Amino acid sequence: MDQENDSETIREKLESKIRKALEAIAPEDVAKDPMLTPATNITFGDFQCNAAMTLAKKLKKKPQEVAQEVVQRLEVLDICDPPSVAGPGFINLKFSEPFIQQKLKQKQRDPRLGVPKARNVERVVVDFSSPNIAKEMHVGHLRSTIIGDCICRTLEFRGHDVLRINHVGDWGTQFGMLITYLREAYPSALTTPDALNITDLVAFYKAAKKRFDEDADFKETSRKEVVRLQSGDKETRMAWSLLCEQSRREFQKLYDRLDIKLIERGESFYNAYLHDVVDDLKKAGLLEESDGCQVVMLEGYTNREGKPQPLIVQKSDGGFNYETTDLACVRYRIEQDRGTRLVYVTDV
């Protein structure tokens, strides 16, 4: 492997050579920026140097004249074909065929194919896949799973410390309505493992959603069930645990088939941190009350009429919502996971 290329990229080499040529025709304090950019038109080369136009004003010369002076002092034939000047003073640089052949041979012999390790290793939290409990995966989850895994593999290959998180939907309103519905329609599913298969569970979920949308009493009972779940009611937690485990096994079949490695840390994981989010927002003076709810007013966050839209972090019945969970999640990933970079692979 080309050890020199390990510490200095081709672009950095070219910039160093250009800087040396600029300093030969102008004082060092004037000729600092090589202004090297990818070529705007690949027919003229691979890179172009735009420094002559800026330098010409300082030297009170024509840009083309300055560009020719730079080219005469530019020692890049070990990398490029002879440089050329175009237009008002662009210096075009094109990699030579011998240089390209040399680099390809080096990369072919290198087990990393010339991809260097990252210079600054980061702790990267990648949130991907994230299916919903009691539902079957759809193409959006599959897309997120595959793209997320590719991102993780790439970051890991570069040497970053990657935390692969599966933020499954295992909390919230859908469990309140599903548990409420199953208490009436199929109560054994809430006390007996695998009383239903996943397809039946999905069908019951759809029926529960329909009932939730149409029946005000059912909706209210479901919301109370969510509060019981969040507060740790033993019977509700038991039912929730059975439903989660059944879905989890179905998801794992796909992950095993695709060789996907994930750490499951669903919405429920952050339940213990939700009160802290509300308390800290209150201490910071950011919390307001609106219709019995605890809210945060965000600049630029408006409704369809353009009026300020409150961000609810605690509902009037004392329950929490997805926004509260997301805030707790971000805090945990930064403060506890020590993530320096957070990547979210979402559905479209």
Side-chain angles (χ1 to χ4, degrees), residues 43-230:
T43 60
F44 296 126
D46 298 292
F47 284 97
Q48 68 183 44
C49 169
N50 304 322
M53 275 80 78
T54 301
L55 197 56
K57 295 178 182 179
K58 297 177 180 179
L59 298 179
K60 298 181 179 180
K61 295 182 179 181
K62 295 180 179 179
Q64 283 192 329
E65 181 183 346
V66 174
Q68 290 292 351
E69 290 183 36
V70 173
V71 167
Q72 291 171 8
R73 293 164 176 78
L74 200 53
E75 300 177 358
V76 293
L77 295 183
D78 58 328
I79 298 176
C80 301
D81 290 336
S84 62
V85 177
F90 301 117
I91 300 172
N92 292 323
L93 300 164
K94 183 177 182 179
F95 295 139
S96 67
E97 287 190 11
F99 175 76
I100 293 174
Q101 292 172 359
Q102 174 195 10
K103 288 300 174 185
L104 288 175
K105 289 178 181 177
Q106 289 174 349
K107 294 181 190 303
Q108 186 180 32
R109 294 193 298 267
D110 178 10
R112 294 184 58 81
L113 297 177
V115 179
K117 289 276 191 177
R119 293 180 182 180
N120 300 310
V121 176
E122 293 186 277
R123 172 74 160 170
V124 188
V125 180
V126 183
D127 178 326
F128 68 106
S129 190
S130 309
N132 293 304
I133 298 295
K135 294 183 184 179
E136 293 177 311
M137 277 193 188
H138 58 67
V139 67
H141 296 122
L142 186 60
R143 179 166 49 232
S144 171
T145 300
I146 293 171
I147 294 174
D149 184 61
C150 289
I151 291 172
C152 288
R153 290 174 188 252
T154 301
L155 290 168
E156 288 161 352
F157 190 70
R158 291 297 313 279
H160 293 294
D161 182 12
V162 179
L163 191 59
R164 298 159 159 260
I165 297 295
N166 193 8
H167 189 77
V168 297
D170 66 348
W171 207 241
T173 303
Q174 77 259 33
F175 283 96
M177 65 185 191
L178 182 58
I179 291 173
T180 299
Y181 188 85
L182 288 174
R183 284 197 200 285
E184 299 177 4
Y186 212 103
S188 63
L190 304 178
T191 56
T192 308
D194 301 320
L196 295 170
N197 61 46
I198 191 67
T199 303
D200 291 335
L201 194 57
V202 171
F204 277 122
Y205 176 85
K206 291 179 179 178
K209 180 66 169 66
K210 186 174 185 297
R211 181 93 174 272
F212 184 86
D213 293 338
E214 298 174 354
D215 186 334
D217 290 338
F218 181 85
K219 179 182 287 190
E220 183 60 26
T221 302
S222 298
R223 286 175 173 168
K224 290 179 179 178
E225 196 69 56
V226 174
V227 175
R228 280 196 288 271
L229 176 63
Q230 292 176 338

Side-chain angles (χ1 to χ4, degrees), residues 265-336:
R265 194 189 286 169
E267 295 164 357
S268 63
F269 177 86
Y270 304 98
N271 186 55
Y273 304 95
L274 301 183
H275 282 286
D276 291 341
V277 169
V278 176
D279 290 344
D280 289 344
L281 286 171
K282 187 175 183 178
K283 290 175 185 176
L286 297 173
L287 216 55
E288 299 180 21
E289 185 171 321
S290 176
D291 295 329
C293 301
Q294 298 300 310
V295 306
V296 176
M297 303 302 294
L298 299 176
E299 184 178 351
Y301 190 53
T302 59
N303 59 21
R304 293 178 181 177
E305 289 74 38
K307 297 179 181 179
Q309 176 73 36
L311 178 73
I312 300 174
V313 294
Q314 188 169 28
K315 296 181 284 188
S316 58
D317 61 6
F320 302 101
N321 54 17
Y322 296 120
E323 287 80 1
T324 326
T325 301
D326 287 341
L327 288 171
C329 174
V330 171
R331 288 212 326 180
Y332 191 93
R333 290 173 178 179
I334 294 173
E335 296 176 359
Q336 304 299 321

Side-chain angles (χ1 to χ4, degrees), residues 226-286:
V226 174
V227 175
R228 280 196 288 271
L229 176 63
Q230 292 176 338
S231 61
D233 178 80
K234 186 176 180 181
E235 185 178 331
T236 302
R237 281 291 182 96
M238 171 70 174
W240 167 79
S241 179
L242 290 173
L243 296 173
C244 287
E245 185 57 34
Q246 185 169 359
S247 290
R248 188 177 291 119
R249 289 198 303 271
E250 292 298 320
F251 298 154
Q252 193 58 46
K253 291 177 183 177
L254 178 63
Y255 296 145
D256 289 343
R257 187 173 183 181
L258 296 177
D259 191 25
I260 305 292
K261 302 294 189 293
L262 281 158
I263 297 173
E264 183 183 312
R265 194 189 286 169
E267 295 164 357
S268 63
F269 177 86
Y270 304 98
N271 186 55
Y273 304 95
L274 301 183
H275 282 286
D276 291 341
V277 169
V278 176
D279 290 344
D280 289 344
L281 286 171
K282 187 175 183 178
K283 290 175 185 176
L286 297 173

